[in-house]
Amino acid sequence: MRLLKFTFLFLISSIMVYSCKKEKPIKDLENRDPIPFNFIIPAGMPPMFIPADNPLTVEGVALGRKLFYDPVLSANNTLSCAGCHRQNFAFADSTLQFSVGITGATGTRNAPALFNLGWEKKFFWDGGAATLEDQVIGPITNPIEMHDTLTKVIAKLQKHSLYPPMFKKAFGSDSITTKLIMKAIAQFERTLISANSKYDEYKQGKIKLDEQEWNGMQLFIGEKGDCNHCHVLGSTFTDFEFRNNGLDSVFADEGRYRITLNPDDMGKFKTPTLRNIALTAPYMHDGRFKTLKEVINFYNSDFHLTATLDPNIALQKRGRLNPIEINDLIAFLNTLTDKDFVSNVNFSKP
Amino acid sequence: MKKKLLAFGFATFILLIAACKKEQTVTEVSTSPTATVQLNFTNFIDGQAVALGLLNYSNAASNKYSVSLLKYYISNVELISKTGTVFKANNVSLIDAGSSSQNVLTMKNVPAGEYINAKFNLGIDSARNHTGVQDGYLDPSYGMIWSWNTGYIFFKHEGQFINSSKQTMPLRLHLGTDKALTPVIVPINLSINGNARKIELRFNLNKAYTNPATIDFNTDNDRQSTAAADETWIAGMKNNLNSSFNILIIE
């Protein structure tokens, strides 16, 4: 009898506890949770920080990719993110020094290439955007770029036939917000990983560099070429720091100082990665150099001494590289091109 | 036996049903009743309620000016009692002189007590000031964030003014960055004892432009908190804003 009593009570309790659970309706295909994106960090690349509140999902990445290629994000529906970030140029803007906004206006900075962004710490040349998500609203609202307002973009997406269901699948809600637009585009951008160049194959022991490339690599890491202090050899090819590389003695663009108002940041810009560098001409924050030869000539002899000049450059002797060595360095930089990346169909217009 | 078992089972059932209730607020030990306090934000220029588009106001520097837009953040409102207990609203409110519905903060379950000070921030604290991936009034679509330099615009006054050469000129004052965060303490005489109360936080825009720092629009008509030249203005505004509010008890 006692046993029966206990069984009975246990049964009731179980039923009640079970009924206490939050309603969990059986999810149909429309309402199922998004599928985690199978994200593989290539060997040799560091672990990537992914914000806890924006994990990558198949649906989120697909939505971000569609948004990235959709001119609906611009005021007159003519310019998408991809309009100035083209895959065949490693998501830099062709060979234009300054990209052209919807009104025909141009800015003062060269559109950066987009890849390996998950490892970056700050965004834009001056690091003004705190996160990859925060970066998203810059070009959309900038009057000289896509020149739209977030309120209008949300209204356009909300009445679009495809977007509300895509937001629902990715984020569980078809009520579109700025936050979700930021998250989706950032998700897609984090998938843009480039780490399969000739150099990577060499590092994995699959191939050998030719003599000129190998000589270039020695110059790159050695004190003479001294690229390695900032464009660290091996994985990301940047230290993500802000530095004054001696481009000017008077700063037309104050760079990082504009963000921090710290005099020590005058004329500093983010060290860009050197991966795919052969594809992303022109060079420097203002695209002033058309070729890698011009760039190396500048570092070899033409840098300007100012108070905030990076010490790694300030301590260098002018004219230390001869023309052969300059060509060797260029040969090595050409091994950093990732042909798979620029032809990867997962990154192209959906 | 069967009856007893049934009764026992029934009791268990009731207990479990009761336990099912969500949001069981902490049972109040004290018997003092709590109350809802409604805080209305209002915007004045000296004695007059702000009217948009009127080029007829005059500040301490004798600049004639107008307000086409006036928005600012009030966050982390706290009520501090005589005995030192603190009620925290944990709010982020975006006050908009052009909105009739937005300028209300409802604080629920304010414990009984004699409240002598109200404390709040004009602006957004640094913990929330450096990403736009946020909801509510921190949603970037409210237009109160800089997209090129992640951070919120704490205070925005746009309009026109008449300069010393009698020309009508644009006025654009955007105050922000961590150093512009302004903690404000306003004395209050509010007794809570279970009855709903209504209070008004009144902002006097003219006080933002004087005492201790007199802001003259002839030199300070376009400030976006972005250049070294803006730093003196930021510091002045911060000191002025500190004493630009007072609280009135309505009900």
Side-chain angles (χ1 to χ4, degrees):
Chain A
M1 190 64 215
R2 216 186 164 84
L3 191 68
L4 191 70
K5 188 165 134 188
F6 269 120
T7 315
F8 179 66
L9 287 177
F10 181 74
L11 209 68
I12 288 192
S13 309
S14 306
I15 289 167
M16 296 319 299
V17 165
Y18 185 77
S19 67
C20 270
K21 275 194 185 164
K22 272 227 175 99
E23 292 144 55
K24 209 173 180 182
I26 299 150
K27 298 206 167 181
D28 52 40
L29 275 175
E30 282 295 298
N31 291 315
R32 64 175 161 64
D33 287 335
I35 302 159
F37 187 86
N38 186 17
F39 197 46
I40 297 156
I41 304 291
M45 297 300 277
M48 186 188 286
F49 169 77
I50 292 173
D53 66 351
N54 195 21
L56 270 62
T57 64
V58 171
E59 293 82 354
V61 170
L63 171 59
R65 181 178 172 192
K66 184 167 169 61
L67 287 167
F68 184 89
Y69 280 96
D70 198 334
V72 72
L73 298 185
S74 64
N76 62 3
N77 305 314
T78 58
L79 186 64
S80 69
C81 306
C84 302
H85 296 284
R86 302 161 195 238
Q87 188 181 5
N88 51 333
F89 296 97
F91 293 98
D93 186 359
S94 65
T95 53
L96 276 181
Q97 182 178 16
F98 302 122
S99 302
V100 183
I102 63 161
T103 62
T106 53
T108 54
R109 290 179 182 170
N110 182 244
L114 306 182
F115 55 84
N116 298 350
L117 299 170
W119 287 289
E120 300 267 351
K121 292 170 187 153
K122 304 263 182 196
F123 299 84
F124 303 143
W125 277 105
D126 56 20
T131 69
L132 189 53
E133 281 79 1
D134 283 302
Q135 175 278 327
V136 167
I137 58 176
I140 295 174
T141 57
N142 191 333
I144 59 168
E145 297 181 47
M146 294 151 93
H147 198 193
D148 216 338
T149 70
L150 295 167
T151 320
K152 283 186 194 148
V153 166
I154 289 168
K156 283 190 277 181
L157 296 177
Q158 196 71 66
K159 67 176 185 211
H160 195 280
S161 61
L162 299 176
Y163 280 110
M166 287 184 83
F167 275 88
K168 172 119 193 183
K169 277 184 188 164
F171 299 110
S173 169
D174 55 11
S175 175
I176 297 167
T177 64
T178 314
K179 183 165 111 171
L180 299 183
I181 295 169
M182 294 162 94
K183 284 184 168 186
I185 293 177
Q187 282 192 36
F188 169 62
E189 289 181 326
R190 283 198 178 91
T191 68
L192 300 175
I193 291 183
S194 174
N196 191 20
S197 62
K198 185 173 182 185
Y199 167 79
D200 295 294
E201 292 190 312
Y202 154 75
K203 215 173 84 174
Q204 291 154 16
K206 291 180 187 162
I207 57 150
K208 284 192 171 157
L209 297 182
D210 69 27
E211 194 185 339
Q212 195 185 21
E213 292 162 346
W214 198 86
N215 288 341
M217 186 171 71
Q218 301 314 310
L219 287 162
F220 187 99
I221 55 179
E223 280 299 306
K224 198 170 184 186
D226 202 19
C227 313
N228 193 49
H229 269 123
C230 309
H231 300 286
V232 189
L233 181 99
S235 59
T236 58
F237 282 85
T238 167
D239 62 356
F240 307 109
E241 295 295 332
F242 296 90
R243 296 172 186 275
N244 169 4
N245 64 352
L247 282 171
D248 296 297
S249 51
V250 178
F251 304 108
D253 186 335
E254 295 171 331
R256 181 80 179 144
Y257 172 79
R258 205 168 148 241
I259 303 303
T260 64
L261 301 183
N262 178 351
D264 188 51
D265 286 334
M266 187 59 84
K268 290 187 181 177
F269 294 90
K270 190 167 61 175
T271 307
T273 174
L274 295 188
R275 284 187 176 275
N276 298 309
I277 197 69
L279 302 174
T280 60
Y283 303 106
M284 304 298 163
H285 68 272
D286 54 5
R288 67 176 68 183
F289 298 133
K290 291 190 178 68
T291 64
L292 288 172
K293 187 164 253 169
E294 286 179 52
V295 173
I296 297 172
N297 279 334
F298 156 76
Y299 281 120
N300 192 31
S301 20
D302 300 336
F303 50 91
H304 294 265
L305 292 170
T306 49
T308 58
L309 177 64
D310 193 84
N312 295 301
I313 293 170
L315 293 167
Q316 279 293 359
K317 218 171 75 190
R318 290 182 197 272
R320 62 199 183 276
L321 298 170
N322 65 39
I324 294 166
E325 290 169 324
I326 290 174
N327 284 335
D328 289 352
L329 261 180
I330 293 171
F332 175 68
L333 293 174
N334 283 331
T335 70
L336 300 178
T337 300
D338 179 348
K339 294 196 182 88
D340 290 349
F341 175 71
V342 294
S343 59
N344 189 329
V345 290
N346 294 318
F347 306 146
S348 61
K349 189 173 181 191
Chain B
M1 186 63 214
K2 215 166 198 172
K3 244 184 194 161
K4 207 169 152 191
L5 184 67
L6 218 63
F8 191 61
F10 185 70
T12 317
F13 180 85
I14 295 293
L15 265 172
L16 282 164
I17 288 270
C20 268
K21 273 195 186 167
K22 283 278 144 66
E23 290 164 52
Q24 283 249 330
T25 40
V26 181
T27 12
E28 284 121 50
V29 183
S30 106
T31 49
S32 307
T34 61
T36 297
V37 178
Q38 184 183 317
L39 173 58
N40 294 347
F41 300 94
T42 58
N43 298 290
F44 277 71
I45 294 175
D46 296 332
Q48 301 161 274
V50 171
L52 299 184
L54 217 60
L55 186 50
N56 201 26
Y57 297 112
S58 187
N59 64 11
S62 300
N63 309 132
K64 196 159 262 191
Y65 72 93
S66 71
V67 179
S68 59
L69 181 152
L70 176 65
K71 291 183 184 181
Y72 52 92
Y73 281 110
I74 298 285
S75 62
N76 297 2
V77 170
E78 295 180 5
L79 300 175
I80 299 155
S81 81
K82 210 184 243 175
T83 57
T85 59
V86 181
F87 171 83
K88 294 184 179 187
N90 296 318
N91 69 304
V92 172
S93 305
L94 177 58
I95 318 308
D96 179 354
S99 161
S100 50
S101 57
Q102 203 166 304
N103 305 334
V104 180
L105 171 67
T106 306
M107 297 180 277
K108 287 183 177 160
N109 301 318
V110 181
E114 299 293 321
Y115 291 92
I116 55 167
N117 279 312
K119 198 177 153 191
F120 57 85
N121 285 331
L122 187 137
I124 303 299
D125 58 40
S126 65
R128 287 180 286 193
N129 194 28
H130 300 292
T131 176
V133 195
Q134 300 186 76
D135 299 312
Y137 289 125
L138 294 176
D139 183 324
S141 63
Y142 281 99
M144 292 294 279
I145 193 166
W146 284 296
S147 57
W148 55 273
N149 181 5
T150 310
Y152 288 89
I153 301 168
F154 297 169
F155 169 94
K156 211 183 220 190
H157 170 192
E158 294 172 1
Q160 293 180 316
F161 79 107
I162 296 172
N163 72 5
S164 46
S165 324
K166 309 277 181 230
Q167 293 164 296
T168 303
M169 300 292 285
L171 187 60
R172 176 172 62 176
L173 302 173
H174 294 179
L175 180 74
T177 71
D178 284 348
K179 71 184 81 163
L181 183 71
T182 308
V184 181
I185 296 180
V186 188
I188 188 173
N189 182 5
L190 182 68
S191 175
I192 302 284
N193 192 16
N195 295 330
R197 304 298 301 269
K198 194 184 275 186
I199 59 177
E200 175 184 337
L201 180 67
R202 185 177 288 197
F203 173 54
N204 182 352
L205 180 61
N206 260 354
K207 282 199 168 179
Y209 300 130
T210 187
N211 191 25
T214 302
I215 307 287
D216 187 337
F217 297 154
N218 282 296
T219 48
D220 292 321
N221 71 312
D222 185 13
R223 294 285 181 201
Q224 297 212 62
S225 315
T226 59
D230 295 335
E231 303 235 334
T232 313
W233 174 76
I234 291 174
M237 286 293 289
K238 188 173 166 162
N239 287 330
N240 296 346
L241 283 164
N242 193 283
S243 54
S244 301
F245 293 87
N246 68 309
I247 288 184
L248 295 82
I249 309 292
I250 307 173
E251 284 170 15

